Amino acid sequence: MTARDPTIILDPAHAWRAADILRAGGLVVFPTETVYGLGANAFDPRACSRIFAAKGRPTGNPLIVHLAGLDQLPLVAQRIEPAARLLLERFSPGPFTIIVPRSQRIPDVVTAGLCSVAVRIPSSPVARAILTHCGFPVAAPSANRSGRPSPTDFDSALEHMDGRVEAIVRGPDCEIGLESTVVRVESGRVRVLREGAVTREMLREAIADLARLDAAAGNSAESGSATVELCSGPEYGALDAAEGPAEAPGTRYRHYRPEAALIAVERADLAVALDRYGGCATALLALRPLQSGEVQHRGCSLLFGFDSLDHYARELYRCLRACDQGGCETIIAELPPAAGMGRALRDRLLRAAGRY
Ligand code: TXA
Ligand code: MG
């Protein structure tokens, strides 16, 4: 693509055009239920290397490969553990990514040279329509410039990628708003490499069902899924230092940072943080009910209240963008309790705050 080729905006009804552009080696930004993705044909190494240039992404950080359905799995993966397959079946299509041994057809640039590949089957109708028209796997990281919050609506996607890609699909706002859960199943252990909307609670329930199924089938503990256990979960910083690139490469890089300084605090510490940092260049993100009188006294210019964890997740990146556009210097954000979707929110907020 050259400076003379403007990015075209596609209607979601024209999924086939998006697929044609991808087939020809182009880059297409499209919505998924989690965040907007920046797609290229996963079998085309030249197209995939353009993803890294468009994002300004370090090449050591591998990409997720998106499929239209489970039947495409043999195109990208080999020797999948039964438990990994069962988890993929259970949580697909949806905000769930699993790391599996890669097939030789997937180029090195996609996996950063690892022997594994990350696979996801999105549920968003627009993404599914595009993937179905493609018939080949589509490598797609989040469609943000590297290090910034992921785009969760068309305007943000346009802001990040206009002029850098052949096409952007004008889709709906993303329903979930945080990136997919990433897991690896290895030697009978399920490890969460990135928290997301498929929560640890959901994984634990699925694992218990697998164990029951195995027991009902009369399988021994060695047979595969019966030994699956959910590992206590990654302290990303520690994991980066201790386990290096093979574990969760993306966690080594700066992520999700707005321009403003973000201060992430527990609910009990909100008042103290407001006393210290409140002011006209400060925004507050918190779960309702908010003590708005208190907030206004401290002069916060922007106030975002959320009715639930899902609402907080859906709006988080949009709010961070609004804060930057509104010229905020400081963002005070409440850390929700570490349960359910709260874990993914805490992870993104702590990273946005530069705490790991
Ligand atoms: O929701 C999502 O997952 C979005 C949408 C577009 O599908 N995609 C997304 O991709 O968030 P990205 O590239 O921004 O994040 C992918 C994460 C990175 O942290 C990367 O390091 C990790 O998945 N990853 C990819 N392949 C891996 C592998 N083989 N082993 C371990 N981690 C891997
Ligand atoms: Mg990303």
Side-chain angles (χ1 to χ4, degrees):
M1 171 166 200
T2 71
R4 280 172 294 123
D5 305 323
T7 296
I8 60 171
I9 307 303
L10 292 177
D11 188 89
H14 295 155
W16 57 272
R17 279 191 69 193
D20 282 352
I21 294 169
L22 288 164
R23 190 172 294 109
L27 300 183
V28 178
V29 169
F30 59 92
T32 79
E33 70 278 18
T34 55
V35 300
Y36 272 68
L38 163 55
N41 178 352
F43 288 151
D44 180 342
R46 266 194 66 216
C48 290
S49 56
R50 288 185 56 214
I51 287 181
F52 292 86
K55 275 182 70 84
R57 178 174 173 124
T59 49
N61 192 0
L63 308 175
I64 296 176
V65 169
H66 296 67
L67 305 178
L70 281 165
D71 55 323
Q72 291 184 335
L73 207 50
L75 293 178
V76 300
Q78 53 172 331
R79 288 183 289 103
I80 300 175
E81 283 195 36
R85 179 180 292 277
L86 285 165
L87 288 177
L88 193 58
E89 282 169 6
R90 168 115 169 198
F91 295 114
S92 298
F96 183 72
T97 298
I98 198 150
I99 311 291
V100 291
R102 86 190 242 207
S103 111
Q104 287 313 309
R105 287 190 72 186
I106 296 294
D108 277 346
V109 63
V110 171
T111 65
L114 298 174
C115 341
S116 58
V117 63
V119 179
R120 168 161 125 76
I121 301 168
S123 61
S124 122
V126 182
R128 287 177 71 72
I130 295 170
L131 291 165
T132 304
H133 280 288
C134 283
F136 49 81
V138 173
S142 49
N144 50 290
R145 296 277 294 152
S146 196
R148 316 297 309 183
S150 303
T152 53
D153 58 30
F154 169 75
D155 286 345
S156 315
L158 187 68
E159 185 184 300
H160 282 279
M161 288 298 152
D162 193 16
R164 298 177 176 277
V165 297
E166 275 71 18
I168 303 180
V169 180
R170 186 195 293 275
D173 296 354
C174 301
E175 262 171 64
I176 293 172
L178 297 182
E179 303 80 357
S180 62
T181 305
V182 180
V183 309
R184 174 202 294 281
V185 182
E186 217 165 48
S187 318
R189 287 146 56 100
V190 178
R191 302 197 62 164
V192 178
L193 304 184
R194 182 172 71 186
E195 308 278 356
V198 171
T199 62
R200 279 169 189 268
E201 289 81 354
M202 292 159 72
L203 285 166
R204 216 167 266 128
E205 199 180 306
I207 291 163
D209 285 351
L210 297 189
R212 272 196 290 276
L213 273 177
D214 251 27
N219 290 342
S220 72
E222 284 77 39
S223 67
S225 56
T227 58
V228 167
E229 60 181 272
L230 186 60
C231 295
S232 64
E235 292 308 326
Y236 288 83
L239 192 142
D240 294 342
E243 309 195 42
E247 188 66 42
T251 59
R252 277 180 295 155
Y253 303 105
R254 204 187 116 119
H255 268 87
Y256 317 117
R257 293 261 188 108
E259 305 277 351
L262 189 138
I263 295 159
V265 290
E266 307 291 342
R267 181 137 192 122
D269 301 327
L270 268 181
V272 173
L274 281 163
D275 274 339
R276 189 172 304 163
Y277 302 105
C280 61
T282 298
L284 174 67
L285 276 61
L287 285 156
R288 292 200 174 95
L290 283 167
Q291 289 154 332
S292 61
E294 198 181 41
V295 170
Q296 266 141 31
H297 280 304
R298 289 161 171 112
C300 286
S301 56
L302 277 172
L303 187 55
F304 298 101
F306 308 108
D307 299 318
S308 64
L309 294 177
D310 287 348
H311 184 206
Y312 198 168
R314 190 162 61 245
E315 296 294 330
L316 175 64
Y317 293 149
R318 244 161 4 142
C319 292
L320 296 183
R321 179 168 174 259
C323 291
D324 281 344
Q325 287 177 334
C328 287
E329 285 163 15
T330 309
I331 301 167
I332 300 173
E334 175 181 346
L335 286 166
M341 195 65 168
R343 281 204 193 82
L345 272 163
R346 288 180 74 90
D347 171 64
R348 304 312 191 273
L349 287 167
L350 289 169
R351 284 165 186 280
R355 300 250 293 265
Y356 56 83

